[in-house]
Amino acid sequence: AKAWHWEDFHGMVCIWFDAEDREPLYKIPRVEGIDNGSMRYLGTWEADRPIEMHLAEFVENTVDVQHFTPMHGRLPLPWTDTRVPGFNVVFDSKVVFGYDAPEEVAKYGPAGNHLLYFLNSSYLVICGRHLPSTGASAQVQFIGPAGLIRFLFIIPDIGRIVLFQTHTPLNDNYGLSQRVCFRYFAERQVPR
């Protein structure tokens, strides 16, 4: 029987697969706040249907930072396609690769060719009025080929939230179908 390298990563079982049958090339960066108990587990959510896309599309959209405000700026009601009239989101984004200048990468996490950091800050515009006080930021860490993504949301005066998004390729639609799951953690002062 085939034995796989695996790791219990914050309550998720992560299995190393390598087409060339090599040993794991890197360790998954852990979140200190989860390990030391300063963050609590809030739950898991799985998409109710497969997401029809190639795994690479998620990463490719990330490095296209100019598309965020035009494409994602109209504020939707959560989990719907309905837009809230007069509400928009302004994004300011950049990408840092795990092999960029060490002093730049160190601001966001470990270095390595298997990591990409997407950095985003945003705020609301309501009926044309810019409201920077509604701002928040996110640091998104793509680990490996983007099968595991860590979001760190920083909301002033509220706290930090960590969300892991996993993509598991399915055998449907020539491998373009993805099972997408989310697992949430937050600092203890963040309201449920």
Side-chain angles (χ1 to χ4, degrees), residues 39 137-140 150-154 160-163:
M39 296 185 119
S137 64
Q139 298 174 2
V140 184
R150 186 213 68 199
F151 293 79
L152 170 60
F153 299 102
I154 303 166
R160 295 171 180 254
I161 300 167
V162 171
L163 177 143

Side-chain angles (χ1 to χ4, degrees), residues 84-109:
V84 179
F87 281 70
N88 293 291
V89 181
V90 174
F91 296 97
D92 182 22
S93 307
K94 78 174 190 175
V95 172
V96 175
F97 294 94
Y99 53 79
D100 283 348
E103 61 277 2
E104 180 68 9
V105 175
K107 296 175 191 174
Y108 312 107

Side-chain angles (χ1 to χ4, degrees), residues 156-177:
D157 301 322
I158 294 177
R160 295 171 180 254
I161 300 167
V162 171
L163 177 143
F164 292 103
Q165 179 176 349
T166 60
H167 291 242
T168 305
L170 303 172
N171 288 327
D172 304 338
N173 195 19
Y174 304 99
L176 297 179
S177 294

